[in-house]
Amino acid sequence: MLHYLLKRLLSLAVSLVVASLVIFLALEVVPGDPAAYMLGINAQEDTLAALREELGLNGSVVERYLSWAGGLLQGDFGTSYTYRTPVAEMIGERLWISLPLALYALTLSTLIAFPAGIWAASKRGSPVDVTVMGVTQLGVAIPNFWFAMLMVLVFAINLRWFSAGGFVGWDAGFLLAMKSLTLPAIALALPQASILARVMRSSLLDTLSEDFIRTARAKGLSKRQALWRHALRNALIPVLTIIGLQFSFLLAGAIIIENVFFLPGLGRLVFQSISARDLIVVESVVMLLVFAVIVVNFLVDLAYAIVDPRLRGRR
């Protein structure tokens, strides 16, 4: 297990280095001058040169990358070109919205998908199975932003159960803050729950057709007992993969939902920073999201080894 863990840690470190290079170089080729954007088209050349020097834009590509990467290792994300405040503070403020939103949505997705997938697999070919598959197909097909706007129309404007957007802040109380995140979380969760339920059903059906399940049935276990005692655990590996990918998507890909509900999260920060040509913010936020994706995949790999110890010797 220790050898397996060390191999995965080495892979994680290499992935982070490669990701940092790709992110930095990709943004370097984006056209436009942050200094010119900040000062406007009528700025004098000497003023532009002074601002570029202040922002550290005059160094070579290698120097700027090493300065940025070295700062990341020390927890220093630099200073925003536009807002003139530390990027770490900006990320920290918005992470307290995006992270709970992602966890909230993932929890809802899992709580919906697991029972639905297991129920459909246990009733294969029945009206229950057909209904679950039909509903999940609809959930996959509907764009989450359209569903978000529909929920705003129904629950915020017509019924007035929730606010149409914005975030009250954690200072207002945990319940009020979570209420502000409920509609966005549902909009994010339902499409993901549909995908997860279908994967759960498919994986369970594949496992239930294995020889060891037939052996368990031959020894006297009912179909329900075989499912819960043996099939479910063995069917979890592809499900864990999807859960890991979904958390990464929910954390990094909520930009549209955050804009629909006017949530000041990481996705909206990236959108605003791209519009303002604030590259240091974009680089740092994207790197943080990549780090989250890689770490989640690392944890999923560890979960594989826990669920199926045979995998420890294969990687």
Side-chain angles (χ1 to χ4, degrees), residues 142-155:
I142 295 177
N144 58 10
F145 68 86
W146 181 87
F147 189 65
M149 291 187 288
L150 180 64
M151 286 198 299
V152 168
L153 179 64
V154 174
F155 295 105

Side-chain angles (χ1 to χ4, degrees), residues 90-248:
M90 298 173 64
I91 292 176
E93 292 172 357
R94 288 157 177 78
L95 190 61
W96 280 106
I97 297 173
S98 292
L99 183 59
L101 175 62
L103 291 173
Y104 193 1
L106 185 66
T107 301
L108 291 176
S109 172
T110 305
L111 290 177
I112 295 170
F114 268 57
I118 293 171
W119 194 23
S122 64
K123 304 289 185 180
R124 182 179 186 180
S126 69
V128 169
D129 184 24
V130 173
T131 301
V132 170
M133 289 299 97
V135 171
T136 55
Q137 183 63 51
L138 187 64
V140 172
I142 295 177
N144 58 10
F145 68 86
W146 181 87
F147 189 65
M149 291 187 288
L150 180 64
M151 286 198 299
V152 168
L153 179 64
V154 174
F155 295 105
I157 297 176
N158 292 337
L159 297 177
R160 299 183 182 277
W161 291 353
F162 298 90
S163 62
F167 182 66
V168 299
W170 296 106
D171 294 337
F174 178 77
L175 292 180
L176 285 176
M178 294 303 289
K179 184 178 180 181
S180 299
L181 298 177
T182 296
L183 289 185
I186 294 174
L188 287 169
L190 289 184
Q192 304 305 314
S194 300
I195 296 170
L196 189 60
R198 297 177 73 87
V199 173
M200 182 82 251
R201 173 187 177 274
S202 176
S203 181
L204 260 180
L205 290 178
D206 288 343
T207 305
L208 286 170
S209 65
E210 295 287 343
D211 290 340
F212 72 92
I213 296 295
R214 287 194 286 269
T215 300
R217 293 294 307 279
K219 290 182 177 180
L221 290 183
S222 66
K223 183 178 180 180
R224 180 184 180 86
Q225 289 173 326
L227 187 152
W228 287 101
R229 292 185 188 180
H230 301 288
L232 184 58
R233 177 171 178 171
N234 287 275
L236 282 180
I237 289 181
V239 177
L240 289 173
T241 302
I242 298 300
I243 290 176
L245 293 174
Q246 285 186 343
F247 177 75
S248 303

Side-chain angles (χ1 to χ4, degrees), residues 1 4-5 8-9 12 240-241 243-244 247-248 291-307 315:
M1 184 64 180
Y4 174 81
L5 182 61
R8 302 312 301 168
L9 284 172
L12 184 150
L240 289 173
T241 302
I243 290 176
F247 177 75
S248 303
F291 174 76
V293 170
I294 293 174
V295 169
V296 167
N297 288 336
F298 171 72
L299 295 176
V300 169
D301 281 343
L302 293 184
Y304 287 168
I306 294 172
V307 172
R315 302 190 179 199

